[in-house]
Amino acid sequence: MGAQVNSLPGVGAEIVGVNLARELSTEEFGQVRAAYAEHGIIFFRDQSISEEQHIAFARRWAPIDINRFLTAHPKHPEIAVLTKEADQQENIGGAWHTDHSYDQIPAMGSILVARELPPAGGNTVFASMYRAYEALAEDMKRRLAGLRAVHSARHIFGKGAEYGKARGGRIGNADAAEHLVDSVHPVVITHPLSGKKALYVNSAYTIRIEGMPEAESQNLLAELFAHCVRPEFSHEFVWRPGSIAMWDNRSTWHWAKNDYHGHRREMHRITLAGEALSPGE
Ligand code: SIN
């Protein structure tokens, strides 16, 4: 029968009719891959996969890109464990971002499996950077053509960064963040899988537009960040036991809502290696 792809409003598609606990056929994998390229995020429901099956599914897509700042699974270093305990206040990923844009070769995507959910809340909101780009005014598109932006991890994961301090032992490796060389990527990319244009700046890691006076750069980024989070480009995903989300870091943003104090939430994330990004043409 194969996979059925149901588009969602805002961004993303739900994939029905596949069982990720077994190896997908070439046809099924092709359908899922095409939906991922087209929609930027795909969701699966009612799955029951082990850590080993999570890793096997990830490896079908690309080599695994181990995150240096998150807590690794004790038995499977390929998996980052994102936990908020019942007595903790801060969650992980609780502001708009896209994973690894601070890397010279940014990650392709991430596969997030729900392992323990609060009774209510803890949704994740996703936004489409394809749609954000398409909706820009033509003069803004012309202004952005050829621009490049600088991305950094130091202010988030580096020594003394508030984000890391507030999350104590759940975020580590401040030395690695201090030594990371800031990356520079096109502000508008041609997406390597879909060939579509996408905005590639994000409010967590993009710190300035290369070669632009600081005030002008900050104003332009603020305008773009406000535009990217317009509700019509986004979808709030309600997790259920057995839910899996797989997003493309080059064409989406996401943030995890922190509205479930007093309850535990544990998610397992595998990040997939990507490729150098080409400018939108
Ligand atoms: C993340 O930012 O990768 C985590 C998202 C979530 O826990 O919902």
Side-chain angles (χ1 to χ4, degrees):
M1 194 180 96
Q4 187 185 319
V5 179
N6 300 330
S7 299
L8 295 166
V11 62
E14 184 171 326
I15 310 285
V16 180
V18 297
N19 176 4
L20 301 185
R22 58 166 185 76
E23 193 175 334
L24 300 188
S25 68
T26 306
E27 187 199 351
E28 284 173 328
F29 189 73
Q31 290 169 324
V32 171
R33 197 169 184 276
Y36 175 76
E38 172 68 20
H39 295 277
I41 164 127
I42 49 178
F43 302 104
F44 304 88
R45 295 287 191 189
D46 305 317
Q47 302 290 323
S48 174
I49 62 169
S50 64
E51 278 87 355
E52 288 81 3
Q53 288 162 336
H54 187 183
I55 294 168
F57 180 60
R59 288 211 169 110
R60 184 98 188 253
W61 291 81
I64 292 173
D65 183 347
I66 295 181
N67 186 286
R68 357 167 157 59
F69 305 118
L70 300 173
T71 305
H73 187 286
K75 293 202 190 108
H76 303 284
E78 299 92 337
I79 299 176
V81 181
L82 280 57
T83 311
K84 184 184 168 207
E85 301 294 343
D87 62 353
Q88 290 173 332
Q89 290 303 304
E90 306 295 341
N91 69 342
I92 310 265
W96 282 112
H97 65 287
T98 188
D99 304 327
H100 292 223
S101 74
Y102 47 77
D103 282 332
Q104 307 298 322
I105 307 284
M108 162 182 156
S110 300
I111 306 173
L112 191 69
V113 176
R115 293 293 178 194
E116 185 174 341
L117 294 168
N123 300 343
T124 308
V125 191
F126 295 90
S128 170
M129 293 305 112
Y130 290 143
R131 296 199 59 199
Y133 177 76
E134 283 157 17
L136 289 171
E138 288 306 315
D139 61 342
M140 178 60 94
K141 288 183 180 169
R142 278 192 292 276
R143 187 176 173 201
L144 300 182
L147 291 183
R148 304 196 317 157
V150 180
H151 301 245
S152 180
R154 270 192 305 280
H155 59 293
I156 306 283
F157 300 116
K159 287 188 181 136
E162 286 308 317
Y163 184 85
K165 275 200 275 182
R167 283 152 191 84
R170 288 182 291 159
I171 299 287
N173 226 346
D175 270 347
E178 294 295 329
H179 290 103
L180 211 58
V181 176
D182 289 347
S183 62
V184 181
H185 304 296
V187 168
V188 179
I189 60 165
T190 298
H191 193 278
L193 293 178
S194 67
K196 295 197 287 189
K197 287 187 192 179
L199 258 183
Y200 192 71
V201 288
N202 69 89
S203 44
Y205 302 121
T206 311
I207 54 172
R208 63 176 185 280
I209 305 289
E210 186 185 53
M212 191 176 272
E214 183 60 14
E216 188 184 343
S217 160
Q218 290 312 318
N219 287 341
L220 177 55
L221 286 176
E223 187 177 343
L224 293 177
F225 296 158
H227 169 80
C228 289
V229 299
R230 276 170 41 184
E232 60 267 36
F233 313 143
S234 74
H235 176 75
E236 180 165 339
F237 184 62
V238 181
W239 294 93
R240 297 197 301 255
S243 298
I244 298 176
M246 177 173 179
W247 61 85
D248 188 309
N249 284 307
R250 292 85 49 99
S251 61
T252 61
W253 288 9
H254 60 280
W255 69 283
K257 291 180 97 171
N258 188 16
D259 55 358
Y260 54 95
H261 297 312
H263 299 281
R264 189 170 193 279
R265 181 178 185 269
E266 178 176 326
M267 312 297 276
H268 286 186
R269 192 180 96 190
I270 296 183
T271 304
L272 300 166
E275 56 210 272
L277 296 174
S278 312
E281 282 159 4

